Amino acid sequence: MKKLLWTLVIVVAVFVIALVGGSFYMLDYSLAPDPNRMDTDSCYQQQFEAYPESKEWVDSLRGIDALRDTFLTMPTGERHHAFYVNRGSSRTAIVVHGWRDCAIKFFWLASIYEHELGYNVVMPELHGCGESEGEAIQMGWKDRLDVMQWMKTFQADTMVVHGVSMGAATTMMLSGEQMPEGIKDLRFVEDCGYTCVWDEFAGQLKEQFGLPEFPLMHSTSLLCRLRYGWSFDEASALKQVSKCHYPMLFIHGDADTFVPSQMVYPLYEAKPEPKQLWVASGAEHALSYKEHKTEYISLIRAFVGR
């Protein structure tokens, strides 16, 4: 009997150690910033190779010193970075990048608003991304409050917040908050965002490691709360869009498996009117614009009323 008891204790101890170790690994794997995030030369190279048209746009802005760096100290005391293009317009777009990315890799999107639609553009780099301070990625949840600070700093009569992937989740999470007073026309565009962090991580856990949600998702979410002050299930774009009464455009590629395209439908259903949905045929994750450039630009133009 004593031998059986000791065997059970050892098995439980090994399980607990493995679970704790697995939780730390999963959290660091998911939220660790890109170690090369300050390598702007590489970011520009990747952007210009993937979207050659953005190089001409950047060169034209540099020629008149119009692509500016700006920094903002968040309420947490951390210093965050953004690029800013001021056209002297009464309309401003906030463009929000994706997971482990930086603003430079989304200049293709900024150029639509600045070059095609005549907006001022703010391109913030989220917590722990690019030149913004932070030890861990926040998956859009606390980032929604940081983007709110950028909105207040660059507030305009007409504003659009447009995010892609994690930036889309950030956009949706932001949309359920109380907006700054004085904005006459505010719209949101989400391109391939996830329903909530729990759903996205659980899907990747199964896809990449073949593991079920229990118990690792639960223990890792708890660890995230202890270390960073938020949990996977509370970081819900689904809950936030249900509180948003501003116009929102949902975009998702039907070939997306990283953030499965099926996620867009419950998000769209949860959002009160006004809303619009476009599912891009054959587009994989975050490639709806790349696969359908003319249609993408036309859709944004129509949505913002230009």
Side-chain angles (χ1 to χ4, degrees):
M1 183 67 180
K2 184 179 291 187
K3 183 177 180 181
L4 179 62
L5 181 62
W6 272 109
T7 300
L8 182 60
V9 168
I10 292 170
V11 169
V12 171
V14 170
F15 174 78
V16 170
I17 292 170
L19 183 61
V20 171
S23 299
F24 274 94
Y25 175 82
M26 180 179 172
L27 194 64
D28 290 340
Y29 176 85
S30 303
L31 305 185
D34 182 354
N36 300 313
R37 63 191 177 121
M38 300 292 286
D39 186 357
T40 57
D41 289 341
S42 175
C43 292
Y44 275 112
Q45 182 179 351
Q46 291 177 53
Q47 171 63 191
F48 295 157
E49 287 178 355
Y51 302 93
E53 67 274 18
S54 65
K55 185 177 190 308
E56 183 178 350
W57 179 70
V58 170
D59 288 344
S60 68
L61 294 177
R62 284 174 171 170
I64 56 173
D65 194 27
L67 183 61
R68 302 295 183 88
D69 292 279
T70 183
F71 289 86
L72 184 63
T73 300
M74 295 298 166
T76 57
E78 292 164 327
R79 194 165 180 254
H80 282 202
H81 170 259
F83 292 97
Y84 178 52
V85 181
N86 183 3
R87 286 182 57 102
S89 174
S90 61
R91 299 171 299 164
T92 296
I94 311 286
V95 171
V96 191
H97 66 77
W99 180 72
R100 298 188 84 190
D101 268 324
C102 63
I104 294 170
K105 294 182 184 178
F106 288 80
F107 278 176
W108 62 266
L109 179 54
S111 69
I112 294 175
Y113 283 98
E114 193 279 335
H115 180 66
E116 300 284 345
L117 303 175
Y119 278 63
N120 308 322
V121 185
V122 181
M123 298 156 271
E125 295 186 308
L126 301 179
H127 185 270
C129 297
E131 297 182 58
S132 292
E133 295 178 344
E135 63 173 304
I137 292 171
Q138 300 179 139
M139 298 304 295
W141 185 236
K142 288 190 173 182
D143 297 308
R144 78 194 195 284
L145 305 178
D146 295 336
V147 174
M148 180 75 79
Q149 294 300 315
W150 288 110
M151 287 183 68
K152 292 177 179 178
T153 301
F154 291 94
Q155 186 169 328
D157 289 344
T158 297
M159 300 194 77
V160 178
V161 183
H162 188 145
V164 180
S165 190
M166 188 182 82
T170 305
T171 297
M172 290 187 284
M173 291 169 182
L174 167 68
S175 74
E177 300 297 318
Q178 182 69 38
M179 293 296 123
E181 295 183 4
I183 303 175
K184 297 176 182 178
D185 186 349
L186 175 60
R187 297 166 188 261
F188 296 92
V189 182
E190 77 85 20
D191 182 344
C192 66
Y194 38 81
T195 48
C196 70
V197 173
W198 184 286
D199 292 344
E200 178 60 18
F201 282 177
Q204 290 302 310
L205 186 65
K206 182 178 181 180
E207 177 74 20
Q208 297 191 39
F209 301 99
L211 295 174
E213 294 182 22
F214 183 83
L216 191 56
M217 280 291 299
H218 298 77
S219 59
T220 308
S221 180
L222 175 61
L223 179 61
C224 186
R225 173 166 290 283
L226 293 173
R227 287 179 69 177
Y228 303 123
W230 61 277
S231 62
F232 297 166
D233 52 346
E234 75 174 295
S236 173
L238 194 63
K239 291 178 183 177
Q240 290 292 95
V241 296
S242 70
K243 300 184 289 182
C244 175
H245 294 277
Y246 295 96
M248 182 174 292
L249 171 61
F250 296 82
I251 299 172
H252 219 113
D254 67 5
D256 191 345
T257 56
F258 188 74
V259 176
S261 56
Q262 299 94 311
M263 283 192 178
V264 75
Y265 299 106
L267 288 164
Y268 181 76
E269 289 300 320
K271 167 73 173 68
E273 294 285 355
K275 58 187 176 180
Q276 185 177 343
L277 171 63
W278 178 51
V279 177
S281 176
E284 297 182 1
H285 184 63
L287 294 179
S288 293
Y289 167 73
K290 192 174 179 64
E291 298 297 328
H292 303 276
K293 291 181 181 178
T294 300
E295 191 171 0
Y296 196 104
I297 294 172
S298 297
L299 187 68
I300 299 304
R301 187 187 300 275
F303 179 71
V304 302
R306 267 300 292 264

